[in-house]
DNA sequence: TAGATGTATTGACATTTATCGATGAATCGC
DNA sequence: GCGATTCATCGATAAATGTCAATACATCTA
């Protein structure tokens, strides 16, 4: 099995990536991996989707409730959700016809950790 | 003069932007502003440049010392530094023929703040 | 089984972006 | 002033990306 990975980007946490920016210069590989994660956040529609999901009281949001707030077509929203999923920022759970999305706190925490300047930014 | 702004993006901190993702869904304007900031981080070369600058013992790095480590042409590095500068992530200081770059901790802190899920993640 | 509904994928198109060579602008040493 | 050095800008080009209409897929209901 050469490429079994359904999720091309593992959690940064699982990859032990990376020290805070202010601590160590990034090597090329880590920079690539991090850039991919930040790329997922580098779109206003995806940021709004993620914030809606992350701020949901139940912790989950049906995909059917996401098309309206961001005012984009259903395929476009589906595309953005896929990008967020592949970046490890959200996870999805199928529930009959519907798909529910939830945020992945560990991945967000890993990105926060990288944006720190000092080593003591608390695990 | 419709667009006199030399620095298109003010510090997020100055703009009072934004609540952590887990607290409030982003409005369209904030999402645009944030996306622009994350876009600056969404490139491996820029991440490496930023990490080299942020990890420098003196707090500053000469632009002339940045071309080598990232293995890109001088115009390319200059372009990336401009993107980082316009995103408020680094600041530059001219010193004779040379230009020294330093990280802007406030902007990095603002982005870290946004990536939090809970309101209590420090001022 | 047939129709309806919620999601995902495909194909196409316009926009953005990363990259580099060539050139311009500012500054230093002589 | 003059050449050399450092950095920024310009112009061009290839690649990546956001968007939507059309279509396919999966699941529920009657």
């Amino acid at each position: 099995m050469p490429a079994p990975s359904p999720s091309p980007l593992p959690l940064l946490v699982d990859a032990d990536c990376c020290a805070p920016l202010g601590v160590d210069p990034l090597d090329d590989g880590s920079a690539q991996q991090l850039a991919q994660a930040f790329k997922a956040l580098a779109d206003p529609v995806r940021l709004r989707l993620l914030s809606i999901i992350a701020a949901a009281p139940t912790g989950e949001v049906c995909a059917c409730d996401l098309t309206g707030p961001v005012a984009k077509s259903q395929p476009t929203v589906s595309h953005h959700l896929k990008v967020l999923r592949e970046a490890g920022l959200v996870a999805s759970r199928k529930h009959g016809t519907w798909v529910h999305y939830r945020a992945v706190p560990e991945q967000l925490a890993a990105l926060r950790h990288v944006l720190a300047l000092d080593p003591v930014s608390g695990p």
Side-chain angles (χ1 to χ4, degrees), chain A residues 76-122:
Chain A
T76 296
V77 171
S78 183
H79 162 69
H80 284 307
L81 288 172
K82 181 180 185 177
V83 173
L84 288 173
R85 212 178 334 117
E86 290 182 343
L89 290 165
V90 303
S92 59
R93 190 171 62 93
K94 195 163 183 182
H95 203 274
T97 308
W98 298 277
V99 176
H100 289 193
Y101 283 83
R102 63 181 181 281
V104 176
E106 295 84 3
Q107 185 77 340
L108 285 169
L111 291 180
R112 290 190 62 215
H113 184 248
V114 171
L115 290 186
L117 287 180
D118 44 84
V120 210
S121 81

Side-chain angles (χ1 to χ4, degrees), chain A residues 9-89:
Chain A
L9 280 179
L11 291 185
L12 296 177
V13 135
D14 294 348
D16 263 339
C17 174
C18 314
L21 287 182
V23 173
D24 262 334
L26 293 166
D27 64 285
D28 196 58
S30 301
Q32 296 266 358
Q33 202 169 1
L34 266 180
Q36 199 65 24
F38 281 121
K39 212 169 289 189
L41 294 174
D43 180 275
V45 175
R46 284 196 291 270
L47 280 176
R48 298 193 67 192
L49 289 172
L50 179 57
S51 71
I52 293 171
I53 295 170
T58 70
E60 286 194 343
V61 179
C62 174
C64 61
D65 290 328
L66 290 171
T67 309
V70 298
K72 295 291 171 188
S73 73
Q74 180 269 324
T76 296
V77 171
S78 183
H79 162 69
H80 284 307
L81 288 172
K82 181 180 185 177
V83 173
L84 288 173
R85 212 178 334 117
E86 290 182 343
L89 290 165

